[in-house]
Amino acid sequence: MTPSPSLPQKVKIVEVGPRDGLQNEKESVSAAVKIELVDRLSQAGFANVEAASFVSPKWVPQMATSAEVMAGITRRAGTVYSALTPNMQGFEAALAARADEVVIFGSASEAFSQKNINCSIAESIARFEGVARAAKANGLRLRGSISCAFGCPYQGEVPLDAVADVVGRMRDLGCDEIDIADTIGVATARKTQAVMLRAAEAFHLDRISGHFHDTYGQALANIYASLEVGVSIFHSSLAGLGGCPYARGATGNVATEDVLYLMQGLGIETGVDLDLVVDAGQFISQHLGRKGASRAGNALAARRQATPA
């Protein structure tokens, strides 16, 4: 099937399950399981896997094994392995772990910035200046992630100009890609398009990505709405893993299996093997002791079991 001329012919899916998906799990997931998970995702063909986070284990205990994970994975040529780096200490750890891309983060909501990292938006961006310079000096890709771009649990509506302002700040730091995140999953299709188009006034549209949570069941609709205005990079988490520890009630990221099923139906190329992602989703769900949140993944897995060999 050929995609509609109004939609991108190809999209990049950034798999965030190993980091964003697992960071909020209360029960410790071993480094060995994380390594196998990343390797399965590499084999599935992802161009970008968010594999680690070099933050203080005091704040995110689940990520304490990040160095071990990065040392143990089998790296696939053509795959970028990303790590979240909140400060220079985190950057040095990511550099030592041979991360291909470092991720810095800020918020479009002043209230959320204070709650999340205990400083203003301006202060948070200033903190990342050293990380940005170091990333460029060492030849690493730099990605900026903007949370609460569609709504905030503390202040409610987030103005379009506030989003564009942070996009501009991230651009000026030298970010190669900028994520526009619906941290609490409140976005709807028209709002999504308005935010993406406003962000594109401050940065290259082909380097803006959509990061949607499915709290209100709107993530796939918002991804389609983003496609309609030319966005071609999306974040997702296998089995719908994830949530934000600083946003009460925020459910998981949109499930990778569901996004891939959507793209497959639209005839849009992803370069990712859906069957292998379904297997990886079932693998991590079994280790977590619960059923995955991907409707497409669960349906495809059930269909396999029901089909005679």
Side-chain angles (χ1 to χ4, degrees):
M1 178 184 291
T2 303
S4 165
S6 64
L7 301 180
Q9 304 288 305
K10 182 178 182 179
V11 301
K12 180 173 83 171
I13 307 296
V14 180
E15 173 54 58
V16 301
R19 198 284 297 178
D20 197 13
L22 291 179
Q23 70 173 3
N24 225 20
E25 292 293 326
K26 292 180 181 178
E27 296 298 322
S28 178
V29 179
S30 71
V33 168
K34 293 175 187 173
I35 289 167
E36 181 168 351
L37 178 61
V38 173
D39 286 349
R40 283 173 174 263
L41 295 168
S42 298
Q43 291 161 13
F46 286 98
N48 193 321
V49 177
E50 197 169 275
S53 178
F54 291 99
V55 299
S56 169
K58 174 184 175 183
W59 298 112
V60 189
Q62 192 66 255
M63 292 293 103
T65 57
S66 285
E68 186 178 349
V69 171
M70 292 293 282
I73 60 176
T74 300
R75 297 174 188 243
R76 170 183 170 269
T79 296
V80 170
Y81 297 92
S82 307
L84 195 74
T85 53
N87 48 38
M88 280 305 298
Q89 184 177 352
F91 173 81
E92 294 295 344
L95 184 65
R98 295 192 300 122
D100 302 303
E101 176 181 72
V102 294
V103 184
I104 58 177
F105 50 91
S107 175
S109 159
E110 198 68 58
F112 190 80
S113 183
Q114 293 288 351
K115 292 281 187 178
N116 192 13
I117 51 178
N118 301 311
C119 67
S120 69
I121 292 172
E123 289 170 334
S124 73
I125 300 299
R127 288 180 182 181
F128 287 123
E129 289 175 356
V131 174
R133 285 195 299 269
K136 293 300 176 182
N138 286 277
L140 272 63
R141 277 178 55 89
L142 178 68
R143 175 152 58 86
S145 187
I146 302 174
S147 60
C148 290
F150 301 88
C152 171
Y154 308 109
Q155 76 176 54
E157 285 291 317
V158 175
L160 295 179
D161 286 348
V163 178
D165 176 68
V166 184
V167 170
R169 291 172 186 267
M170 292 286 192
R171 175 202 63 214
D172 292 345
L173 285 179
C175 287
D176 298 290
E177 210 166 278
I178 297 176
D179 317 329
I180 311 296
D182 184 16
T183 308
I184 57 174
V186 295
T188 54
R190 291 237 174 132
K191 177 66 177 290
T192 292
Q193 291 183 334
V195 171
M196 292 302 188
L197 290 172
R198 185 69 182 87
E201 293 177 18
F203 195 61
H204 309 282
L205 181 60
D206 62 353
R207 290 195 270 146
I208 288 173
S209 59
H211 180 120
F212 296 100
H213 286 226
D214 208 28
T215 312
Y216 289 85
Q218 300 298 299
L220 289 179
N222 294 333
I223 286 173
Y224 190 87
S226 299
L227 288 169
E228 288 187 316
V229 297
V231 177
S232 60
I233 308 171
F234 298 97
H235 293 197
S236 60
S237 177
L238 79 168
L241 296 174
C244 178
Y246 298 96
R248 270 181 99 177
T251 54
N253 298 283
V254 64
T256 305
E257 300 92 323
D258 296 353
V259 176
L260 291 173
Y261 190 77
L262 171 67
M263 298 302 171
Q264 192 175 83
L266 292 171
I268 296 175
E269 182 185 345
T270 65
V272 179
D273 188 317
L274 174 56
D275 288 334
L276 293 181
V277 177
V278 170
D279 290 341
Q282 297 294 306
F283 163 78
I284 192 61
S285 295
Q286 288 170 7
H287 275 278
L288 295 174
R290 64 173 186 268
K291 190 175 182 179
S294 168
R295 292 188 178 184
N298 291 335
L300 289 168
R303 188 168 72 183
R304 281 187 203 167
Q305 293 176 352
T307 302

